Amino acid sequence: MAHALNAAPAILRNSELDADAVRTARVDLAATLRMAARLGMHEGICNHFSLVVPGRDDLFLVNPYGWAFAEITASRLLICDYEGNVVAGEGVPEATAFYIHARVHKNLPRAKAAFHTHMPNATALAMLEGPPLAWAGQSALKFYGRTVVDEHYNGLALDEREGDRIAASIGDADIVFMKNHGVMVVGASAAEAWDDLYYLERAAEAQRLALSTGRPLKPVPPEMAQKTYDQMRLGDRESAVLHLESIKRRLAKEEPDYLD
């Protein structure tokens, strides 16, 4: 069940928020939300993606409460500060979106993007006892040494303390499996966070299918897992940018209203 913040939005005029870099950030974030909807990596009007506003480390973009990922456009995204004020846009963020994302961005400056979903396969792994992701498939090795598990499910995140606890649980990791809940991916850009989110769900899906055979997984030895991870990371940033650009080209043809 979702909750919206009760405070009415404080709409402020600020030409800095109309800069080209901010427009690009809006388009990038809207594109990831639209593609997440296409791929079933969403849940009703819940789940949230956020992105620190370029040039303003005290503000972040986030999808508004009450709108499905498939309905999001670049202009519909809200800009919020870390005190809960909406400084640009109409509507309010969903309460857990604010309390999780504001605290993650504030406490982890490297987390320019924070994507939280209940996407089915990764969430299924988060519901199991023990380590969620096995190092048994090549796609999974993209995340070797980059994941952490938050074992402490505390219900809905409806205050800053829970947001701070979640941020602290991430530490130096890029992916947190939130037990009994879902996953969060943080990254230096919308492109990198999206690339990780996409391949995380693919890796989780492959693991679930492999386990459904009833046969044991064949793990990759640690030294080979590390070698493969190192190979993948060499081109990860460029690949992530190209991945997002391909999505924007597709959406421009098939769902051009996302640019509105």
Side-chain angles (χ1 to χ4, degrees):
M1 183 175 180
H3 297 260
L5 293 177
N6 292 321
I11 306 299
L12 304 179
R13 298 292 180 185
N14 190 330
S15 61
E16 190 179 40
L17 301 183
D18 296 324
D20 289 346
V22 179
R23 168 64 183 173
T24 297
R26 285 182 173 279
V27 169
D28 286 352
L29 190 58
T32 63
L33 288 157
R34 286 290 185 100
M35 187 53 68
R38 282 191 175 202
L39 299 176
M41 298 163 66
H42 61 143
E43 192 167 67
I45 57 169
C46 301
N47 295 179
H48 3 90
F49 291 4
S50 62
L51 183 65
V52 172
V53 173
R56 291 292 302 267
D57 287 345
D58 58 331
L59 302 174
F60 65 98
L61 286 155
V62 66
N63 48 304
Y65 177 63
W67 297 86
F69 281 15
E71 298 178 288
I72 295 299
T73 66
S75 63
R76 187 162 283 154
L77 293 165
L78 306 176
I79 294 181
C80 301
D81 64 20
Y82 298 147
E83 283 67 54
N85 301 305
V86 176
V87 301
E90 296 183 5
V92 293
E94 192 263 329
T96 63
F98 172 75
Y99 287 116
I100 295 174
H101 291 250
R103 306 313 291 179
V104 167
H105 290 308
K106 185 172 184 177
N107 296 344
L108 298 173
R110 67 184 178 84
K112 300 301 184 186
F115 290 6
H116 169 57
T117 76
H118 301 165
M119 54 191 189
N121 294 290
T123 300
L125 298 187
M127 293 165 60
L128 302 175
E129 290 281 1
L133 196 60
W135 312 118
Q138 180 168 287
S139 293
L141 300 182
K142 174 179 172 67
F143 307 105
Y144 191 72
R146 300 175 61 208
T147 66
V148 69
V149 179
D150 177 7
E151 296 280 0
H152 306 290
Y153 178 67
N154 286 330
L156 300 184
L158 295 176
D159 56 51
E160 290 184 353
R161 289 177 300 174
E162 180 62 7
D164 287 337
R165 189 196 67 76
I166 291 171
S169 76
I170 298 172
D172 295 328
D174 297 321
I175 295 92
V176 56
F177 282 91
M178 305 160 80
K179 280 297 182 82
N180 310 110
H181 185 176
V183 296
M184 175 171 277
V185 172
V186 299
S189 67
E192 290 179 54
W194 167 258
D195 199 58
D196 278 346
L197 194 77
Y198 172 83
Y199 284 106
L200 180 65
E201 180 67 351
R202 295 290 290 176
E205 180 181 22
Q207 181 173 319
R208 180 181 62 79
L209 289 171
L211 289 172
S212 72
T213 68
R215 298 170 61 184
L217 296 175
K218 179 179 172 59
V220 175
E223 62 276 9
M224 185 54 66
Q226 183 65 54
K227 176 183 176 181
T228 306
Y229 163 78
D230 291 339
Q231 291 172 327
M232 289 180 168
R233 291 298 277 175
L234 287 174
D236 250 10
R237 182 162 295 178
E238 179 184 11
S239 180
V241 170
L242 294 175
H243 188 180
L244 182 52
E245 289 302 312
S246 75
I247 287 170
K248 291 193 289 185
R249 286 193 300 271
R250 290 172 60 188
L251 291 173
K253 291 180 180 179
E254 300 164 10
E255 298 181 43
D257 65 306
Y258 94 96
L259 292 165
D260 293 348

